[in-house]
Amino acid sequence: MSDDNHTLPYPEASAEHPTLVIPGGGADAAQPRRRRRRWPWVLLILVILLAALVVAAEFIARSILPGTVRSLVIDQLDLPADQQLDVEAEGILLPQLIGGRLDTLHLSTDAVTLEGVTGAADVTATGIPLRGGDLGGASGTIRVDQAEFTTLLAGTDLPVESVAFEPPNATLGGSFTVFGASVPISLTLTPGAVEGDLELTPVSLSIGGLDVDFDGVGGMLGSVGEDLTKPQRVCIADQLPAGLTLTGLEIVGSEAVIDIDVDGAIATDESLLEKGVCPR
């Protein structure tokens, strides 16, 4: 019997054979993978949440503050409950609220009546204490029309029955009684302010519709006429709260713009809310 199927001999033990490498095997396979650090993401989320809370708190503060300030002002000045008053604070409120003092506060109204005089008001206060105390300072403007300006001059010796604005001047209309007859006069003057008083500087005068030279007024109206040609100071302190001081006055368009300075103690001294006094 012939041996047709040849059998290959076994390789010798000393022969080299290639080694198969199993994927994922070896020494490195035994080492665990390092986990990603998640704390930066957690920190970022906390920062975002904190920022959202700050924004929400700021929004709430800006929503509540105007109403609170409005109520306090209305109560202090004894204004009507429905008084229109806009309040606006500057800057980021949360640090100011925490510190107990507002940096700047704007208050404005289209119409407010103080001591019988009605006008639009715009006031800016600084250093407003939230836990009581004097204001750091305050100033603003009061704008009155011709009728209210007439009221301001009602207590003077001037013959004032009406006022017409002709910027930068104001023309007073009135009359004098001369030898039992009423003589109409028209006095044009430039208003201003000096040391808290209203200052009126005459520009021109007409009597009975005729322009009169200042030098001849004394001969026509005597001492009264001479007084009309001189600058006059008019105290209006008795028509404003004592805590307000007149610092300027200018005719702008159809309004008289009155600049005022506010005593910071008006927030704590109730007497400054009362009507002022003019020296006799």
Side-chain angles (χ1 to χ4, degrees), residues 129-185:
L130 300 179
R131 300 180 181 89
D134 295 347
L135 300 174
S139 61
T141 59
I142 299 175
R143 303 187 306 275
V144 299
D145 59 18
Q146 298 171 157
E148 295 299 326
F149 191 71
T150 304
T151 301
L152 285 175
L153 301 179
T156 69
D157 295 329
L158 295 171
V160 182
E161 297 174 4
S162 65
V163 175
F165 291 156
E166 300 173 2
N169 301 321
T171 299
L172 313 183
S175 61
F176 270 112
T177 301
V178 180
F179 302 115
S182 178
V183 179
I185 70 168

Side-chain angles (χ1 to χ4, degrees), residues 7-95:
T7 303
L8 296 175
Y10 287 99
E12 296 181 3
S14 60
E16 294 182 359
H17 299 283
T19 301
L20 296 178
V21 178
I22 301 175
D28 294 339
Q31 296 180 1
R33 293 183 179 180
R34 294 181 179 179
R35 295 183 179 180
R36 292 183 177 180
R37 295 181 178 179
R38 296 183 178 180
W39 67 265
W41 297 100
V42 174
L43 180 60
L44 178 60
I45 292 174
L46 290 176
V47 170
I48 293 174
L49 290 176
L50 181 59
L53 289 175
V54 170
V55 171
E58 179 75 10
F59 178 78
I60 293 173
R62 289 194 175 277
S63 299
I64 296 176
L65 181 65
T68 302
V69 173
R70 177 183 177 277
S71 297
L72 289 174
V73 172
I74 287 177
D75 181 64
Q76 290 293 321
L77 296 181
D78 196 23
L79 300 175
D82 60 350
Q83 172 68 49
Q84 176 261 327
L85 182 64
D86 297 328
V87 179
E88 181 180 358
E90 286 189 359
I92 301 176
L93 291 184
L94 283 182

Side-chain angles (χ1 to χ4, degrees), residues 149-225:
F149 191 71
T150 304
T151 301
L152 285 175
L153 301 179
T156 69
D157 295 329
L158 295 171
V160 182
E161 297 174 4
S162 65
V163 175
F165 291 156
E166 300 173 2
N169 301 321
T171 299
L172 313 183
S175 61
F176 270 112
T177 301
V178 180
F179 302 115
S182 178
V183 179
I185 70 168
S186 178
L187 175 64
T188 298
L189 44 81
T190 302
V194 57
E195 298 179 347
D197 291 339
L198 174 62
E199 185 179 53
L200 306 174
T201 303
V203 174
S204 63
L205 174 67
S206 67
I207 300 176
L210 300 175
D211 292 338
V212 178
D213 186 88
F214 284 172
D215 294 335
V217 174
M220 300 178 62
L221 299 178
S223 61
V224 175

